[in-house]
Amino acid sequence: MVLSRTSQYAVQALIYIATQAPGEPVLNRDIADRLNVPAAYLAKILQSLCKHGLLDSFRGRLGGFCLRDGMQKTSLMQVLLLTEGPDFTKSCILGLKECTDETACPMHFKWKPVKNKIIAMMNDMHLEDLAKAVQTGKYRLADLPAAAMPVA
Amino acid sequence: MVLSRTSQYAVQALIYIATQAPGEPVLNRDIADRLNVPAAYLAKILQSLCKHGLLDSFRGRLGGFCLRDGMQKTSLMQVLLLTEGPDFTKSCILGLKECTDETACPMHFKWKPVKNKIIAMMNDMHLEDLAKAVQTGKYRLADLPAAAMPVA
DNA sequence: TTCCTTAAAGAGGTTTTTGTCCGAATTATA
DNA sequence: TATAATTCGGACAAAAACCTCTTTAAGGAA
Ligand code: FES
Ligand code: FES
């Protein structure tokens, strides 16, 4: 409805990494297993997040990915601007090229406050806080494994 | 950010048709020209909306599409449930299979009110009203043609 | 040094979404 | 009846999103 799969994987992975001891690299394989996400694809996403400075990566034994120093406070908006592209916040819900009060589509003035709420929400959520929430054990970062699901 | 291109085309087209005299079929070609969208693709979308009962279609001379009687009051939610699928309102922003208070992801309780706002908004907007808004001339259904754009 | 482990890089595959084309069916009108 | 205009239906094509595989480079440990 709002985020591409790539963005979802990126956010999930970053939150997961943020729950782990800082400075201790986390294996791509472990993240993929934990989130139940395709490992080779996730690796690409993490590599891209490295290039953009959110993560540090280390090769070889004891290698893996960890949050770059200071990046605990990264907002989801910062992440989404990378994964969804710089126009993430600029789109018209009907697909018009411009979305301004002057070029409004018939949904614009209803949509604008909702869109602003989404933007504010994404600006307001930081990896740190989301990681803490997960650490309370009250929230899920991934679907339960099939084995743990009630029989259908 | 929220709607597929197909949904955007569908909504634009339905609003446009709703601005035209009821009972007077509108040509697919005219809609496509007016909205500046691919005609052959739009035709598929309109055919699908016919099958789902939102539109009536007529072949041959004086043919075209028009809103089925009584469908002026169709809400955008009704349209989107067809174009985006019946799970449109059910998705978790992180992609989890379930989105309930009991299976909450770390974004759930922030996201839920925004999502509900979107749903309420879509339930609250009807083709009729959007068409009237367009008819005031204050709102755009499509981008201005390149010819009318200021030189870049 | 040699081996093992890991990420990096690039090529390529699959699936979904978006878009095109064409022939057949249908209808108004001359 | 012939013709032109239109939707319908199916196959196809292109692009984007999603995902895999293989090889290479780098780092740690025996
Ligand atoms: S112009 Fe369409 S949402 Fe702003
Ligand atoms: S569980 Fe993720 S948004 Fe509801």
Side-chain angles (χ1 to χ4, degrees):
Chain A
M1 189 178 185
V2 166
L3 300 183
S4 66
R5 254 197 172 24
T6 298
S7 291
Q8 292 174 342
Y9 292 165
V11 171
Q12 285 179 295
L14 285 168
I15 295 175
Y16 177 68
I17 294 171
T19 65
Q20 300 305 110
E24 299 267 306
V26 187
L27 290 191
N28 175 67
R29 174 163 26 90
D30 289 345
I31 306 172
D33 286 352
R34 171 64 213 277
L35 302 179
N36 197 27
V37 143
Y41 190 51
L42 181 64
K44 295 295 185 194
I45 296 171
L46 296 182
Q47 280 165 34
S48 159
L49 294 175
C50 277
K51 284 201 195 126
H52 287 100
L54 265 54
L55 293 176
D56 282 319
S57 68
F58 305 94
R59 302 213 253 198
R61 281 215 181 171
L62 306 190
F65 297 89
C66 58
L67 274 182
R68 180 164 296 184
D69 203 41
M71 290 302 164
Q72 311 277 350
K73 302 199 188 302
T74 305
S75 72
L76 288 195
M77 183 55 75
Q78 288 174 265
V79 179
L80 296 180
L81 286 173
L82 299 179
T83 54
E84 299 280 322
D87 293 344
F88 177 58
T89 63
K90 308 213 170 126
S91 60
C92 159
I93 193 164
L94 276 186
L96 303 196
K97 294 214 179 67
E98 303 252 341
C99 174
T100 67
D101 291 357
E102 290 72 38
T103 63
C105 73
M107 299 177 69
H108 179 80
F109 289 102
K110 292 259 188 190
W111 173 240
K112 187 176 159 183
V114 177
K115 179 167 118 175
N116 285 336
K117 190 93 177 124
I118 296 176
I119 294 172
M121 188 186 97
M122 294 302 180
N123 274 317
D124 201 49
M125 292 206 276
H126 302 266
L127 297 182
E128 206 171 33
D129 313 324
L130 293 162
K132 277 192 191 130
V134 169
Q135 281 166 337
T136 67
K138 291 183 186 155
Y139 303 103
R140 295 183 188 175
L141 214 36
D143 293 312
L144 292 178
M149 297 292 287
V151 276
Chain B
M1 188 178 185
V2 165
L3 300 183
S4 66
R5 263 217 153 42
T6 298
S7 290
Q8 292 174 341
Y9 292 166
V11 170
Q12 284 178 294
L14 285 169
I15 295 175
Y16 177 68
I17 294 172
T19 65
Q20 302 304 109
E24 299 266 309
V26 187
L27 291 190
N28 175 67
R29 173 163 30 85
D30 289 345
I31 306 171
D33 285 353
R34 172 63 215 280
L35 302 179
N36 197 27
V37 308
Y41 190 50
L42 180 64
K44 298 292 187 198
I45 296 171
L46 297 181
Q47 281 164 34
S48 158
L49 294 175
C50 277
K51 285 203 193 123
H52 287 101
L54 265 54
L55 293 175
D56 281 320
S57 68
F58 305 95
R59 302 214 256 198
R61 278 217 183 177
L62 307 189
F65 297 88
C66 60
L67 273 182
R68 181 164 295 183
D69 203 40
M71 290 301 164
Q72 268 60 17
K73 302 198 189 302
T74 305
S75 71
L76 288 196
M77 184 54 75
Q78 289 175 263
V79 179
L80 296 180
L81 286 173
L82 300 179
T83 54
E84 298 280 324
D87 293 344
F88 177 57
T89 63
K90 309 213 168 126
S91 59
C92 159
I93 194 165
L94 275 186
L96 303 196
K97 293 213 177 69
E98 303 253 341
C99 174
T100 67
D101 291 357
E102 289 72 38
T103 64
C105 73
M107 299 177 70
H108 178 80
F109 289 102
K110 292 260 189 190
W111 172 241
K112 188 177 158 182
V114 177
K115 180 167 116 174
N116 285 336
K117 191 97 177 118
I118 296 176
I119 293 172
M121 187 187 98
M122 293 302 179
N123 275 317
D124 201 48
M125 293 206 276
H126 300 82
L127 297 182
E128 203 171 37
D129 312 324
L130 294 162
K132 275 192 192 130
V134 169
Q135 281 165 339
T136 67
K138 289 182 189 157
Y139 303 103
R140 296 183 187 174
L141 256 189
D143 293 312
L144 292 179
M149 297 292 286
V151 277

